[in-house]
Amino acid sequence: MSESVEMYLVMTALLRTAPDQPVPLSLLANKLGVSQVSANEMCHRLEERGLLTYQPYRGVMLTPDGEEWAQRILSRRRLWVIFLVENLGIDPEEADTLACQLEHITSDRLVAALRAFLERTPDAHTRSEKTAPSTSPRPLTECTAGMRGVITAVDVEPAAATFLLRQGIAPGTDAEVLAVGADHAVLLQIGAQQVALAPSLAGRITLAMTARRCMPLATLPGNVAAPSGRACVANCAVVRQKR
């Protein structure tokens, strides 16, 4: 599968506001840096391959096969971010940019090797006990992909707090930042689920990074819940096509 195809699948997964919500073609084209005509042509080709479904005037959605591919690629990205940050000391923001490139050339054999390397500690399959934060809390909008820690404050209106609580977001919860969009929307990993937060909410939630490295390496789930706004978009390389 080409890098361009993979980028369409990943971006569709990241831009949707709910699993059954189509992504507008104009938004997809804008985020990928291509013309709407090019995006339209590619989406029709991917529909013929059974990876996307296209609904005129509504947008595109991933098929089960497309969803599987998108989550496989995002899982590779997460492994690379963790490896680069924790083992090579690379800044999380730079690591996310590098991971966006490496995810497209990572074989299944290399995925297995990376996972085995990162899970080499005895307790890597279980969540570590919470430890005292090692850095001062910062808003999620100021975090970068790969940062992990404990949520220290959720300063939102009662209705929003109720929504967040249903998603498992509350002070004292372990969380990992999977991606941060250019508009500061945030994709957060809470336990076994992904939660996409609009900038207005993400900016009112603070995270303190913890000293412990050990975290589970489960693959990314497909369901994304978002209270409002767009799902976040990672800092991916622009897909280069003829416009």
Side-chain angles (χ1 to χ4, degrees), residues 5-196:
V5 169
E6 292 183 343
M7 287 303 302
Y8 270 86
L9 299 179
V10 167
M11 197 62 71
T12 299
L14 291 174
L15 285 173
R16 63 191 176 188
T17 56
D20 58 350
Q21 181 66 40
V23 175
L25 195 62
S26 58
L27 176 60
L28 183 62
N30 180 60
K31 291 300 183 181
L32 289 171
V34 301
S35 70
Q36 193 163 332
V37 172
S38 294
N40 184 63
E41 293 175 352
M42 175 62 88
C43 287
H44 277 95
R45 288 199 293 270
L46 296 181
E47 185 173 36
E48 292 174 356
R49 294 175 59 175
L51 298 172
L52 287 178
T53 58
Y54 175 65
Q55 302 176 27
Y57 308 109
R58 293 197 65 199
V60 296
M61 294 173 57
L62 294 170
T63 64
D65 285 345
E67 180 73 42
E68 181 180 349
W69 270 104
Q71 297 306 325
R72 184 183 304 176
I73 298 161
L74 287 170
S75 180
R76 292 174 185 172
R77 179 185 304 178
R78 183 177 182 225
L79 287 172
W80 277 118
V81 168
I82 294 172
F83 174 80
L84 293 170
V85 171
E86 296 188 348
N87 295 278
L88 301 185
I90 294 177
D91 178 79
E93 186 171 0
E94 182 182 358
D96 186 57
T97 300
L98 292 171
C100 285
Q101 301 170 32
L102 292 168
E103 67 191 11
H104 302 292
I105 57 172
T106 303
S107 66
D108 290 341
R109 182 178 179 182
L110 183 52
V111 167
L114 273 173
R115 187 177 295 278
F117 178 80
L118 294 172
E119 292 181 342
R120 67 193 184 281
T121 52
D123 57 346
H125 293 287
T126 59
R127 181 170 296 279
S128 62
E129 294 181 359
K130 294 185 179 72
T131 58
S134 61
T135 62
S136 299
R138 66 177 70 183
L140 291 177
T141 50
E142 296 180 11
C143 294
T144 54
M147 287 187 174
R148 287 168 289 172
V150 177
I151 292 175
T152 58
V154 179
D155 182 19
V156 297
E157 297 297 325
T162 299
F163 167 84
L164 294 172
L165 188 59
R166 288 201 301 266
Q167 309 303 318
I169 298 176
T173 301
D174 289 327
E176 177 180 1
V177 177
L178 298 178
V180 180
D183 60 353
H184 299 295
V186 175
L187 186 63
L188 205 62
Q189 185 83 25
I190 301 292
Q193 73 171 340
Q194 250 179 45
V195 182

